[in-house]
Amino acid sequence: MGKAGTRVHLSGVTARINGTPIVGDVDLVAEPGQIVGLIGPNGSGKSTLLRTVYRSLRPATGVIRLDGDDLWRMSAREAARHRAAVTQDHSVDTGFSVRDVVAMGRTPHKGLLDRDTSADQEIVDDALERVRMTWAGERIFTSLSGGERQRVLLARALAQQPSLLVLDEPTNHLDVRAQLDLLELIRTLRLTTVTALHDLDHAAAYCDHLVLLRAGSVVAAGPPADVLTPDRIADVFGVRAHLGHHPITGRLHVATAPLSADVAATTGV
Amino acid sequence: MSRTTPVAPGRPAPTTPPGHARERRRTAVIPTTALVVVLLAALVLAILTAVAVGTVAMPLGVVWQVISAHLTGGPVGVDPLSDQIIWQYRTPRVLLAALAGAGLAVAGVCLQALVRNPLADPYVLGISSGASLGAVLVLSYGSAALGGLGVAGAAFLTALLTLAAVFLLAQRGSRLGATRLVLAGIATTYLTTAATSYVQLHASPNELRGIMFWLLGSVSGATWPALRIPAVVVVVTLAWLILRARSLNALTTGDDSAATLGIPVNRLRVELLAVSALLTAAVVAVAGGVGFIGLMIPHMVRLIVGPDHRRALPVAAVGGALFLVLVDLGTRTVDPPNEYPLGVFTAALGAPFFLWLLRRNKNEVI
């Protein structure tokens, strides 16, 4: 299901909300199949930048290309056949079942008079299976836990059969296990993914490429080990950071503490 | 990616089905087509019955004979008085009740999706109170009050003017926020209601009774020509909405969420607003301020067929029509020969339902 992944190229993207510039002149490239993490403090423009990609906010200037095609020159429907997203504002409180919610992912593939076909049903089944939520198909969406809901919304995005996945802080409000389950799941999808993340440790461990934003501008971009340096983290986030290897997984690990924290026995990398 | 472990050993997979039956889909699996057919049959039966019942009772056979004769253009074959009662007086009245019920129920479904608030109804945007002001002006001061317009014309005009005001107040930038829309609607409702009350105080006791009937809704003055506009508006908007049922479903999940599914959210919101306003104005202009249908029918429908608009819209249309035909029948049979305004009965049934709804929702966001 889905295409192998597309190359995403944002060039010179500027975004304003009610005239106020929030994001200025951002360049970003996600190679096919890469997971690109957007990191930065609150208000640095991560969500606003993502809105220009999932077409909730038109960039004031700049171009967003998917494999060379201008995302904002497509119709809204066509764009939604290439790019799916899990946003933060989602509010399904109307009694839709999990299957109904996932089937909504077929919306951009359907004309005004089209009915759901057995092919659509298979795509929905497949999407639920990929996020391991098949058992919940007939449950009411709102009766699920936060982690389960995020997986269902991810299944809805997969049912769109996108080549680009956009995630806006997908681990927000989830307990620690649900966060790790979701991040592991995202890695298995092999889709070009652009995701905003708050947790620097998660960003370091799960992303192929990071883009660090401050006040709407890119401060640094590159592999996690290059972007996440103690000096830069101290400068942008105002916290003391220690880079090392995760004692359990061996992945890149970011430990943080307040700038004023006493330095205990620090072991080098 | 080799570093992926979807389910680590030693912990249960998060795929165990917890068996909370009551959290499962409550909606029965009644096929929608079957339900619509059954409701349509009930509607036809209710219409025939409502035409037969009245101060002068008509046998169902005669009602059928007269209606089919007029529809096919054949000879009527009953006395002129019966013909007049059935065809000129009762049939348009009952059909207007059906159209008004269908229109308000559909407008309610549409608006609840638009503003994502289960307590919204077609009047939350101030359309009804706007229409009331125009109608009451004409009822109190005569048709000279608004440049020679009749009651229905005046009501339609002030409804649209009110809507335009609400629209301008609610708009910020290119966005039309749900909360701003409701707040602007409520504020405008208070304003136009105040103006209506002021005008009412200047009306004579004679005029007051007519005003009262208009404000609470009535189909007693229905004529065939008055049916034209609401009939066209209800049929066209219903078809338009059913074609966009998928987009309505997507919109209920949030603006950003709908945008990711390829819905042009701002354009759809404006279109839905215009459609529900047109429906409401077309109905209220001829039937007055019939309350509660637009609130209670959508909720009843969702309890029966679930939240999917592909099912909810047709069922709401037929259900709303059936409900208001029966209510109109009630208003003229409960205490003959007196008649009561529709709003008295829809509210008597609607208010307890509303309270039940509030109790049922006590653990949720409202």
Side-chain angles (χ1 to χ4, degrees):
Chain A
M1 191 166 72
K3 297 130 227 173
T6 189
R7 183 176 193 269
V8 185
H9 187 184
L10 278 68
S11 49
V13 170
T14 300
R16 298 195 179 94
I17 294 178
N18 295 326
T20 312
I22 307 290
V23 169
D25 199 23
V26 167
D27 292 319
L28 182 156
V29 175
E31 298 295 343
Q34 260 192 345
I35 297 183
V36 174
L38 283 183
I39 52 174
N42 284 334
S44 58
K46 303 185 295 292
S47 294
T48 305
L49 183 61
L50 291 183
R51 281 181 64 195
T52 65
V53 184
Y54 62 77
R55 287 193 38 150
S56 152
L57 181 70
R58 185 183 281 275
T61 62
V63 182
I64 300 170
R65 291 188 190 282
L66 306 184
D67 282 341
D69 296 325
D70 188 335
L71 182 77
W72 278 92
R73 282 185 188 269
M74 301 175 190
S75 71
R77 271 186 73 205
E78 193 192 347
R81 293 195 288 265
H82 297 288
R83 173 276 294 125
V86 177
T87 61
Q88 290 199 62
D89 87 318
H90 206 281
S91 59
V92 182
D93 58 355
T94 42
F96 281 107
S97 73
V98 165
R99 274 199 81 84
D100 290 338
V101 171
V102 178
M104 280 183 201
R106 302 304 298 154
T107 306
H109 296 272
K110 294 286 163 186
L112 289 183
L113 291 167
D114 290 347
R115 290 169 166 272
D116 291 340
T117 61
S118 56
D120 293 317
Q121 295 300 332
E122 275 170 35
I123 290 164
V124 170
D125 288 338
D126 190 29
L128 278 169
E129 201 178 314
R130 286 177 83 183
V131 303
R132 300 196 306 282
M133 289 296 289
T134 305
W135 59 271
E138 297 307 314
R139 290 276 299 268
I140 300 282
F141 178 79
T142 39
S143 74
L144 301 179
S145 71
E148 291 164 344
R149 286 187 203 190
Q150 285 300 79
R151 304 169 84 88
V152 171
L153 292 177
L154 194 58
R156 188 185 88 165
L158 294 178
Q160 280 173 253
Q161 299 182 304
S163 50
L164 166 64
L165 187 60
V166 179
L167 306 170
D168 194 359
E169 291 176 19
T171 55
N172 248 8
H173 309 304
L174 302 190
D175 66 37
V176 62
R177 175 174 165 192
Q179 292 190 12
L180 295 176
D181 276 347
L182 191 76
L183 290 165
E184 293 284 351
L185 175 61
I186 289 163
R187 281 231 65 108
T188 66
L189 300 175
R190 294 160 193 266
L191 278 170
T192 312
T193 303
V194 179
T195 176
L197 286 172
H198 257 310
D199 190 317
L200 297 181
D201 193 37
H202 288 164
Y206 288 95
C207 295
D208 302 305
H209 186 92
L210 292 181
V211 175
L212 174 59
L213 291 176
R214 173 167 59 185
S217 298
V218 176
V219 177
D226 297 350
V227 172
L228 298 170
T229 62
D231 285 349
R232 200 178 274 136
I233 293 173
D235 180 34
V236 174
F237 292 91
V239 296
R240 180 196 294 266
H242 171 81
L243 276 292
H245 291 287
H246 195 285
I248 304 170
T249 61
R251 297 178 195 168
L252 183 62
H253 174 52
V254 185
T256 49
L259 278 180
S260 60
D262 292 332
V263 181
T266 317
T267 46
V269 176
Chain B
M1 316 277 160
S2 57
R3 51 178 157 164
T4 303
T5 25
V7 183
R11 60 176 178 176
T15 52
T16 336
H20 296 298
R22 68 185 175 84
E23 285 172 351
R24 284 165 183 269
R25 194 205 297 258
R26 268 183 310 239
T27 55
V29 276
I30 311 166
T32 311
T33 327
L35 187 62
V36 170
V37 168
V38 168
L39 281 173
L40 270 176
L43 177 62
V44 170
L45 202 66
I47 287 174
L48 291 176
T49 311
V51 173
V53 174
T55 330
V56 184
M58 296 287 171
L60 268 179
V62 176
V63 170
W64 181 248
Q65 192 185 342
V66 170
I67 291 179
S68 56
H70 279 282
L71 289 180
T72 57
V76 174
V78 300
D79 63 288
L81 186 63
S82 300
D83 178 45
Q84 200 184 1
I85 289 173
I86 290 170
W87 188 248
Q88 294 303 331
Y89 176 62
R90 285 191 199 153
T91 306
R93 171 186 188 140
V94 173
L95 288 181
L96 179 58
L99 282 171
L104 291 174
V106 169
V109 172
C110 178
L111 269 165
Q112 284 171 9
L114 176 65
V115 303
R116 282 194 289 278
N117 185 335
L119 299 184
D121 75 354
Y123 300 157
V124 81
L125 297 179
I127 299 162
S128 166
S129 50
S132 301
L133 180 58
V136 170
L137 274 171
V138 171
L139 288 166
S140 303
Y141 298 128
S143 64
L146 282 173
L149 284 173
V151 174
F156 196 72
L157 177 71
T158 49
L160 294 187
L161 287 176
T162 312
L163 180 79
V166 170
F167 191 91
L168 289 175
L169 286 167
Q171 209 175 22
R172 184 171 56 181
S174 61
R175 287 212 150 198
L176 198 59
T179 311
R180 287 175 71 87
L181 208 52
V182 173
L183 289 177
I186 289 172
T188 316
T189 300
Y190 273 105
L191 195 65
T192 47
T193 306
T196 306
S197 306
Y198 182 82
V199 174
Q200 254 180 289
L201 288 171
H202 293 266
S204 70
N206 237 359
E207 291 160 351
L208 269 179
R209 190 179 154 78
I211 290 173
M212 198 58 181
F213 261 79
W214 198 92
L215 289 178
L216 289 168
S218 171
V219 287
S220 62
T223 58
W224 282 108
L227 289 181
R228 273 187 220 131
I229 291 176
V232 170
V233 168
V234 168
V235 170
V236 171
T237 55
L238 180 61
W240 189 90
L241 283 168
I242 288 174
L243 287 177
R244 278 151 192 84
R246 260 182 226 275
S247 303
L248 279 166
N249 289 346
L251 194 64
T252 58
T253 68
D255 281 6
D256 277 356
S257 164
T260 71
L261 292 172
I263 309 297
V265 173
N266 283 331
R267 196 182 77 201
L268 181 67
R269 293 178 77 83
V270 172
E271 287 171 351
L272 288 176
L273 186 64
V275 160
S276 48
L278 185 64
L279 262 175
T280 311
V283 166
V284 171
V286 284
V290 191
F292 277 110
I293 300 241
L295 178 68
M296 67 189 278
I297 297 289
H299 283 294
M300 291 170 114
V301 166
R302 274 195 285 269
L303 285 174
I304 298 165
V305 300
D308 190 333
H309 287 87
R310 285 172 289 181
R311 297 188 287 265
L313 281 165
V315 174
V318 189
L322 178 63
F323 180 77
L324 201 56
V325 167
L326 294 177
V327 165
D328 175 50
L329 186 58
T331 62
R332 54 199 167 89
T333 49
V334 75
D335 179 23
N338 291 323
E339 283 191 14
Y340 292 88
L342 294 169
V344 172
F345 281 71
T346 53
L349 293 168
F353 178 78
F354 190 88
L355 293 172
W356 173 75
L357 188 75
L358 276 175
R359 278 192 63 80
R360 186 177 156 266
N361 269 318
K362 67 185 166 187
N363 293 326
E364 294 180 19
V365 281
I366 338 173

